[in-house]
Amino acid sequence: MAGELPYEAPLVEMRKKIEELVQFGQEKGIDFTDEIARLEERYHRLEEEIYSGITAAQKMHLARHQQRPTALDLIQLIFTDFIELHGDRMFGDDLAVVGGLAKLDGKTVTVIGQQRGKDTKDNIARFFGSAHPEGFRKGLRLMKQADKFGRPIITFIDTKGAYPGNTAEERGQSEAIARNLMEMAKLSVPVIVVVIGEGGSGGALALAVGNRVLMLEHAIYSAISPNGAASILWKDATKADQAAEAMKITAKDLLEMNVIEDIIPEPRGGAHRDYEASAAAIHEALIRHLDEMKGWSSDQLKQDRYEKFRKIGSVTFESPVPDQAPQPPVEVDVVNNLSGNAE
């Protein structure tokens, strides 16, 4: 097993024993068929036990796996005739964001993705997938072009967050993110967002205001990275695993909270085990959700996007009063309360 994670160690050890037994039998001419079959059965039971109970912290490490398919990997497998477009027409070309025109089952779309590097040199060139303002502005330029020509927009999210250095702040990082949020809300074409790895903070949200937000099964999506949360809460970034368990960052958690609309299944062990199967699952989900929005007017698409994000943050709680009968649950619209518009 290439690129195994710590919790997969029992599987690696058992697979090693099976391979050693097979090799020994071949060398000595001994038939171990029954023994190997029993070990294989135990292996599959252990595999099911491990992969059916992956924790949030383990999913975080899966989402960050160096061999996990990147946006460009998936673009090449899902789409045809991809033409990459460069630059924001203001400052430069940020390699942490890639995008351009492509065809999805023969239909022209605009596809944009946050791109991690494949090795140290590539990661440095792409700022480890953390975009500068020109990256977000490049994405917005491509989205406005798609809006003008009526092309659906598909974005792939995979970043720990926007680039946090001085160079990004000097070039207007917060303004670039805020403008993307505003402009994406007003787009007149279908927008589908797919979180393929880690979706962290405003760097993810800047390309994630969509009609449909989907997540790969072992991806994570959060307002701050678990490492950042641990640094704030415990002054210790090494407690990221503990933060991940408390933050509700998994696809299952976010589906239950209506933050996302769909979970895309991954191959057993994670997307890095089988790029083609992962791409096929994403392709099926994209086609299905685009078909649902087929024929919608621009006003319907905008309203759908508006309603999707307005319902996030609506919570129900009970507030018992001492010495009185229990009060009925109260539903609170957090967004309205924060904006000062609650009645």
Side-chain angles (χ1 to χ4, degrees):
M1 295 173 64
E4 64 272 1
L5 293 166
Y7 65 87
E8 296 176 304
L11 289 173
V12 176
E13 184 64 26
M14 186 170 290
R15 176 52 60 188
K16 182 180 177 181
K17 289 180 179 178
I18 293 173
E19 291 173 354
E20 288 175 350
L21 185 59
V22 171
Q23 183 177 359
F24 182 77
Q26 291 173 344
E27 290 175 354
K28 301 298 182 180
I30 303 173
D31 185 5
F32 289 118
T33 302
D34 292 341
E35 290 80 358
I36 292 171
R38 283 194 293 270
L39 284 174
E40 287 284 1
E41 185 179 350
R42 287 174 55 192
Y43 178 88
H44 291 303
R45 285 202 304 268
L46 179 61
E47 187 180 48
E48 178 63 28
E49 180 182 334
I50 289 175
Y51 290 135
S52 63
I54 299 177
T55 65
Q58 290 168 342
K59 285 179 180 286
M60 176 184 71
H61 294 293
L62 261 178
R64 295 173 174 176
H65 199 291
Q66 184 60 33
Q67 296 175 15
R68 194 170 177 86
T70 65
L72 281 176
D73 291 327
L74 294 171
I75 287 171
Q76 296 297 335
L77 290 168
I78 295 169
F79 304 92
T80 58
D81 303 316
F82 175 61
I83 302 173
E84 186 174 357
L85 302 177
H86 298 270
D88 67 342
R89 302 296 187 266
M90 294 179 67
F91 181 86
D93 187 34
D94 187 346
L95 299 182
V97 175
V98 298
L101 306 179
K103 289 188 176 180
L104 179 64
D105 283 3
K107 181 178 177 60
T108 303
V109 300
T110 290
V111 58
I112 302 164
Q114 292 164 325
Q115 178 68 21
R116 294 178 290 106
K118 284 291 192 179
D119 51 36
T120 301
K121 182 179 179 181
D122 197 21
N123 263 319
I124 291 172
R126 298 185 185 279
F127 303 102
F128 293 83
S130 295
H132 281 68
E134 53 268 27
F136 299 122
R137 290 171 180 146
K138 173 167 68 172
L140 181 57
R141 179 177 75 83
L142 297 180
M143 287 187 280
K144 285 191 169 183
Q145 181 193 77
D147 199 36
K148 178 179 179 180
F149 292 101
R151 293 192 294 264
I153 297 168
I154 297 162
T155 69
F156 291 126
I157 305 301
D158 190 11
T159 182
K160 292 183 179 180
Y163 188 76
N166 290 342
T167 53
E169 296 300 326
E170 289 167 355
R171 299 202 284 270
Q173 186 73 288
S174 58
E175 187 277 339
I177 292 173
R179 183 168 296 278
N180 273 33
L181 302 182
M182 178 181 70
E183 297 291 349
M184 287 190 76
K186 298 189 294 184
L187 292 169
S188 301
V189 295
V191 181
I192 297 182
V193 177
V194 186
V195 184
I196 60 174
E198 181 173 11
S201 193
L205 192 58
L207 295 177
V209 182
N211 296 90
R212 300 289 183 270
V213 178
L214 321 178
M215 285 180 69
L216 282 178
E217 181 181 359
H218 301 310
I220 61 173
Y221 193 28
S222 56
I224 185 173
S225 72
N227 304 72
S231 297
I232 294 171
L233 294 174
W234 299 293
K235 311 299 181 186
D236 185 357
T238 63
K239 293 186 177 181
D241 285 6
Q242 185 177 343
E245 295 294 341
M247 289 172 62
K248 304 294 184 182
I249 60 176
T250 70
K252 182 177 181 292
D253 292 326
L254 295 166
L255 183 65
E256 291 174 354
M257 294 188 290
N258 295 319
V259 175
I260 67 172
E261 280 70 46
D262 202 358
I263 299 174
I264 302 173
E266 295 189 27
R268 179 64 61 88
H272 61 286
R273 299 288 182 207
D274 191 334
Y275 282 22
E276 287 77 14
S278 300
I282 295 172
H283 178 275
E284 184 278 330
L286 292 176
I287 295 299
R288 176 161 42 85
H289 286 281
L290 282 173
D291 284 344
E292 288 177 5
M293 293 182 280
K294 187 179 294 184
W296 287 14
S297 68
S298 61
D299 287 341
Q300 286 176 306
L301 290 165
K302 293 175 187 176
Q303 185 63 27
D304 174 76
R305 207 174 300 131
Y306 172 83
E307 291 175 356
K308 170 193 164 43
F309 283 90
R310 288 294 291 180
K311 71 184 179 184
I312 296 174
S314 179
V315 298
T316 300
F317 65 94
E318 293 185 8
S319 181
V321 179
D323 302 324
Q324 291 187 19
Q327 301 297 306
V330 178
E331 185 169 304
V332 177
D333 187 332
V334 176
V335 177
N336 265 331
N337 279 342
L338 290 175
S339 63
N341 294 326
E343 294 181 359

